[in-house]
Amino acid sequence: MSSQVMGRSGYAAKENTFQFANNCETAECLVFREFRIACVHLRKESEVLDALQEKDIAWRFLCKLSKERPFLHDRVHEVLHLLMMSKAWMKALAEDPECKYEDLPPEMQSEIKRRAEQAMDPDAQPEAGYTPPRKASYEAFKASGTIAVVVQRCLKAKLLVDEAAEKWDEIGRGLFVAVSFTKGATEDKVAPAARFLLTAKLSRGASSDEAESVSALCARGEYQGILVLPQVSLVSELKDVDVRYSQQLGKSSAHQLYDAFVKALQSVAADSSSPPQILAGAFDGPQVMELSSAGPFMHSFTV
């Protein structure tokens, strides 16, 4: 039974690439969840786990999941810990040229690579256990450069795009997104952040009270809009009674990352047959906007 579950998961990973990229809920529930449950059930049946077929498809799926969904790394860790105990699975990873160690969670890459290389050595003795690496501190995480995002659900929102002509552009039901960047932030964090905003359950449809992702709603043919604005004040610190902005990324670099963030949103959204409307304010443009919502449904994220 477990072998059949693993097989279905492998085929689903191969055949549902579009669903995986655009509907995080579907991919996680129908593919990764089954895969994870099967691995957990077989953790004490090493011979059965080793004998499962299509390991290459499973590894490619895990690499893709880790690379494109960094927000799911904690869930991926459990599966990787189990597979690392299997010489057969490590050997399959090492032999597949389409799998790249750098696509896996950064804190596990070196250990997984070491285990995979060891699996290719016929004289190497299998290791009995695995000691998870110590997680980086929040201070170290911040020092590496982050993207600060605030998201609010809206019924409609409009932006002043030409102050002299009093011209406004607007979106309907969807999300308002404010974004800022800290020192050290780099473009490699932009695409995962954009993909997360489109696939996380942050929005809501016109006829339901359930939270759903923009991608899922658009896939059903429902309208969704996203209004994006740069907001440097998201990166701030309170010292005594003063508000400091010492960790903000320089204006020129922040401008480049903001443009890259908007392009990433547009690029990921374009993969859908019914993409959301994306309205982005100019980095140096007016920040005048009006927003209507059914309640202050707001989230703050640091990527």
Side-chain angles (χ1 to χ4, degrees), residues 85-250:
M85 299 301 102
S86 167
K87 184 174 181 179
W89 277 87
M90 289 293 98
K91 188 171 184 289
L93 172 63
E95 291 177 339
D96 191 343
E98 294 190 29
C99 292
K100 299 179 180 179
Y101 298 114
E102 57 266 29
D103 290 342
L104 296 170
E107 61 273 22
M108 297 187 69
Q109 289 173 10
S110 60
E111 180 66 12
I112 290 175
K113 183 178 180 181
R114 185 180 70 81
R115 295 266 181 155
E117 291 174 347
Q118 185 183 60
M120 298 297 289
D121 181 357
D123 298 323
Q125 296 297 316
E127 297 184 30
Y130 168 69
T131 302
R134 187 175 65 181
K135 290 188 176 181
S137 67
Y138 182 62
E139 289 71 22
F141 169 68
K142 289 195 298 181
S144 69
T146 61
I147 301 175
V149 181
V150 170
V151 183
Q152 179 165 354
R153 189 184 291 170
C154 67
L155 297 176
K156 61 181 179 179
K158 64 179 184 178
L159 173 69
L160 182 63
V161 294
D162 188 331
E163 196 168 7
E166 295 187 359
K167 180 183 177 183
W168 296 74
D169 281 345
E170 63 181 284
I171 63 168
R173 184 183 296 272
L175 302 175
F176 163 64
V177 177
V179 60
S180 187
F181 309 91
T182 69
K183 289 179 179 178
T186 54
E187 196 167 330
D188 62 332
K189 293 189 176 183
V190 166
R195 189 173 292 107
F196 167 73
L197 291 172
L198 290 168
T199 57
K201 293 182 178 181
L202 297 171
S203 193
R204 192 172 70 180
S207 58
S208 173
D209 291 334
E210 296 295 323
E212 294 188 72
S213 72
V214 169
S215 291
L217 290 165
C218 288
R220 290 209 308 269
E222 291 198 41
Y223 169 88
Q224 286 285 287
I226 300 177
L227 170 59
V228 187
L229 281 180
Q231 185 58 259
V232 295
S233 61
L234 296 181
V235 179
S236 59
E237 297 175 294
L238 184 64
K239 188 170 183 178
D240 297 327
V241 294
D242 296 324
V243 179
R244 305 287 179 87
Y245 303 97
S246 60
Q247 294 305 308
Q248 288 179 355
L249 187 63

Side-chain angles (χ1 to χ4, degrees), residues 55 58 212 261:
K55 296 181 182 67
E212 294 188 72
F261 177 74

Side-chain angles (χ1 to χ4, degrees), residues 56-74:
D56 56 338
I57 295 176
W59 273 120
R60 292 170 197 174
F61 171 72
L62 288 172
C63 287
K64 183 178 180 66
L65 183 74
S66 299
K67 180 180 180 180
E68 299 190 354
R69 312 287 183 190
F71 307 95
L72 296 178
H73 278 183
D74 285 347

